[in-house]
Amino acid sequence: MRHLPDYGDKQMRTVYLNGEYVAENEAKVSIFDRGFLMADGVYEVTTVLDGKLIDFDGHAVRLQRSLAELGMENPISKDDLLEVHRELVRINEIDQGMIYLQITRGAPDDRDFAYPPEDTPQTIVLFTQNKPGLADSPAAQKGIKVISIEDQRWARRDIKTVQLLYPSMGKMMAKAAGCDDAWMVEDGHVTEGTSNNAYIIKGNTIITRHLGNEILHGITRAAVLRFAKEAQMTVEERSFTIGEAQDADEAFITSASTFVMPVVEVDGAAVGTGAVGPVATRLREIYLEESRKVAV
Ligand code: PDD
């Protein structure tokens, strides 16, 4: 049983806002915050398994890069950030779940396209999401179905910004089609999923799009490709088409919250046998096992 902290007569999450731990209903951000008005902010999602953080270092490094690409300061040191993550896991008694982190350019005293003065304090928010059973998701046994949609996002998808409207629309398009997610396509080639990286498997080869500004450089992607190479699989980092995906032996996605998730249908066509395949299953096992060993 989890026992969340009592705030008055109510139990609720404790969240972190600008240096303080407060009840979730007490955490207030200005209407002038540039995250709210301009999507001028970056984020990270770090998974918690057995009360420990998966790949914290990778997320901290990518956060630093996203901030630098947008000319933003990093308002918190890596050690302090780790401490805040751990404290939130402890206070909110998270065994399996996620920690969401967002940093924005702060709240000047009016709306303006120009960046605010450099001494404007940034906004930093962290909150936990409790997801019991995250690692034993039934979807991993069944696999998920995806549709393809045109990639209509901006051109700097390598920066993890909070402008997630199009990915959100993509999820709704998938839902309306009776599917679980959408793979986005640009110039005839798959870029990535709405909130994950996309892969196909042909024989002993894993194919996933090369890194560039067109996709987010997934932390899970880096780990899974490393484990695949260690398991003597061939990795080809190149773009692929929806047709190739439909002809593949297997397909899957990766992200911090889904780990390795098999894809069994693309645009109505079964991938391979149409059931979850052995390679994706094995990669999921290896990923969970190895990441748990080095969780902090
Ligand atoms: N999404 N591509 C996109 C567009 C993403 O939003 C994500 C992560 C990934 C996978 O990255 P990682 O392996 O580092 O989680 C790829 C997170 C989980 C989210 O928005 O909830």
Side-chain angles (χ1 to χ4, degrees):
M1 254 307 268
R2 263 164 93 230
H3 296 285
L4 292 184
D6 277 324
Y7 288 101
D9 57 355
K10 254 184 131 181
Q11 288 201 334
M12 61 183 93
R13 258 183 302 198
T14 298
V15 305
Y16 178 89
L17 173 61
N18 300 331
E20 288 184 64
Y21 295 93
V22 291
E24 61 183 72
N25 64 343
E26 291 295 325
K28 301 270 163 48
V29 176
S30 163
I31 61 157
F32 297 119
D33 195 279
R34 288 182 59 93
F36 178 60
L37 294 180
M38 310 261 174
D40 189 0
V42 301
Y43 77 107
E44 282 295 331
V45 177
T46 304
T47 293
V48 179
L49 289 180
D50 318 318
K52 288 184 171 176
L53 303 162
I54 302 295
D55 233 327
F56 173 79
D57 266 9
H59 290 283
V61 168
R62 186 173 62 190
L63 172 68
Q64 180 57 50
R65 179 179 181 277
S66 292
L67 289 166
E69 290 297 310
L70 296 177
M72 268 195 244
E73 293 292 315
N74 191 342
I76 187 162
S77 73
K78 192 170 146 196
D79 286 351
D80 287 349
L81 193 61
L82 177 58
E83 181 52 33
V84 175
H85 277 75
R86 283 185 166 151
E87 187 62 4
L88 286 177
V89 168
R90 190 189 66 74
I91 301 173
N92 295 312
E93 298 190 3
I94 305 296
D95 179 58
Q96 293 196 14
M98 279 98 73
I99 303 192
Y100 178 86
L101 151 75
Q102 177 169 331
I103 297 174
T104 78
R105 210 181 297 270
D109 40 20
D110 203 355
R111 178 175 182 267
D112 192 346
F113 280 82
Y115 291 174
E118 283 195 355
D119 58 358
T120 308
Q122 288 170 272
T123 305
I124 173 165
V125 175
L126 283 92
F127 59 81
T128 54
Q129 294 183 290
N130 187 44
K131 304 273 177 193
L134 185 66
D136 313 304
S137 155
Q141 251 91 62
K142 252 179 47 202
I144 63 164
K145 298 176 181 180
V146 302
I147 57 165
S148 65
I149 60 172
E150 199 188 324
D151 197 334
Q152 295 185 344
R153 297 173 299 164
W154 79 326
R156 290 302 307 275
R157 304 157 194 156
D158 56 310
I159 309 173
K160 200 164 171 59
T161 74
V162 297
Q163 39 167 333
L164 297 176
L165 182 55
Y166 190 68
S168 185
M169 287 167 71
K171 286 267 199 235
M172 296 312 290
M173 289 185 240
K175 234 181 169 167
C179 290
D180 305 287
D181 203 1
W183 279 7
M184 294 177 282
V185 174
E186 187 169 64
D187 298 330
H189 290 85
V190 174
T191 51
E192 58 186 334
T194 57
S195 60
N196 44 68
N197 291 116
Y199 306 73
I200 57 173
I201 302 171
K202 279 210 171 260
N204 192 39
T205 304
I206 296 183
I207 301 160
T208 192
R209 195 181 177 101
H210 49 282
L211 296 180
N213 294 350
E214 302 78 22
I215 62 168
L216 185 74
H217 302 188
I219 303 305
T220 321
R221 177 188 184 279
V224 166
L225 294 188
R226 198 173 64 243
F227 298 142
K229 285 174 192 163
E230 283 168 13
Q232 313 305 323
M233 297 192 66
T234 309
V235 172
E236 267 182 35
E237 292 182 67
R238 64 160 175 91
S239 55
F240 59 87
T241 63
I242 288 294
E244 263 185 285
Q246 291 172 324
D247 286 341
D249 297 326
E250 295 182 42
F252 65 94
I253 57 166
T254 65
S255 73
S257 48
T258 60
F259 315 115
V260 174
M261 180 63 68
V263 170
V264 294
E265 193 183 292
V266 177
D267 277 345
V271 177
T273 62
V276 168
V279 180
T281 302
R282 183 72 194 120
L283 278 174
R284 183 180 172 90
E285 282 166 8
I286 298 176
Y287 175 77
L288 283 169
E289 203 178 300
E290 296 300 319
S291 320
R292 276 180 147 132
K293 274 190 209 160
V294 292
V296 294

